[in-house]
Amino acid sequence: ARIIVEGLPRFGAYDKPTSKIRLAVFTTPDRRVPMEQLVRRLNEGKFQYLGARKTFGSEFVIRDVRVCAGVGDYEEEIREFVRTPAREETDVALLYLPEEGNTNDSRHPYYCTKALLLKEGLASQMVDRNTAANLDWKDLNLALNIYAKAGNTPWVLDKPMPGVDMFIGLSYSSRGTKVKRMMSYVNVFDSYGRWRFYDGDTEV
């Protein structure tokens, strides 16, 4: 992990997107400005993170901003958003969503929103209160998450692993005393560690 952290700022990511990474921002009124500042910070960088252009060969642009009275209104706003032309011009949904309240409850806005975006086929990245308030030393990790979720490859092995055709990662998320499957997904990587395929849904 240490080599990867040192290698990304020094050499940049493996994939260099030919276009900008387009974001749809979902936020509450009090966090709109901090979320826009957060995207600017991801582009500019600070400390060991040199910014999106030097690290990824691209930059993050806000394609659309959706301001909701509260995080409980995100689901309705997402359903409206996915019916607009902006949906096809968005790579990742970036949401301000503090992990407050009972996070073990499957009805928590975090899980409901994540599940809806997953069902609509839109990659998402949540930003909690602490990250929105202070991005220091979190910016590289957050930018890397968005970059990868937009379908780009951060790094690969310098040679294939012998005897390996592919890696398959299967996972699911559940909450509560009774196992209630909320999200299930599969990722497939080739022998160089390059991500090749992803699929997910809210059904088993």
Side-chain angles (χ1 to χ4, degrees), residues 51-164:
R53 175 60 61 184
K54 291 183 178 179
T55 305
F56 306 117
S58 183
E59 61 183 328
F60 305 108
V61 295
I62 297 176
R63 173 62 184 83
D64 198 356
V65 177
R66 299 290 174 125
V67 181
C68 301
V71 296
D73 299 323
Y74 282 0
E75 288 184 79
E76 182 179 346
E77 193 66 33
I78 290 168
R79 289 189 178 94
E80 179 183 323
F81 170 77
V82 297
R83 294 193 297 266
T84 68
R87 163 62 184 90
E88 298 305 317
E89 299 171 4
T90 297
D91 299 306
V92 178
L94 182 65
L95 301 92
Y96 169 70
L97 217 164
E99 294 186 21
E100 297 173 350
N102 183 8
T103 56
N104 287 323
D105 188 346
S106 61
R107 296 167 296 179
H108 189 280
Y110 179 92
Y111 303 108
C112 295
T113 303
K114 196 85 170 174
L116 177 57
L117 288 164
L118 182 65
K119 196 169 185 68
E120 293 293 344
L122 186 58
S124 62
Q125 177 62 49
M126 308 301 185
V127 176
D128 62 21
R129 188 182 302 276
N130 291 335
T131 300
N134 181 14
L135 203 56
D136 288 353
W137 306 109
K138 306 167 192 170
D139 47 7
L140 174 57
N141 187 56
L142 180 59
L144 182 60
N145 285 348
I146 297 171
Y147 164 86
K149 289 176 180 181
N152 301 298
T153 304
W155 59 80
V156 297
L157 302 175
D158 58 353
K159 57 184 178 180
M161 295 188 69
V164 174

Side-chain angles (χ1 to χ4, degrees), residues 14-26:
Y14 176 77
D15 272 346
K16 300 296 189 296
T18 57
S19 59
K20 297 176 181 180
I21 298 171
R22 305 162 299 178
L23 307 175
V25 175
F26 292 79

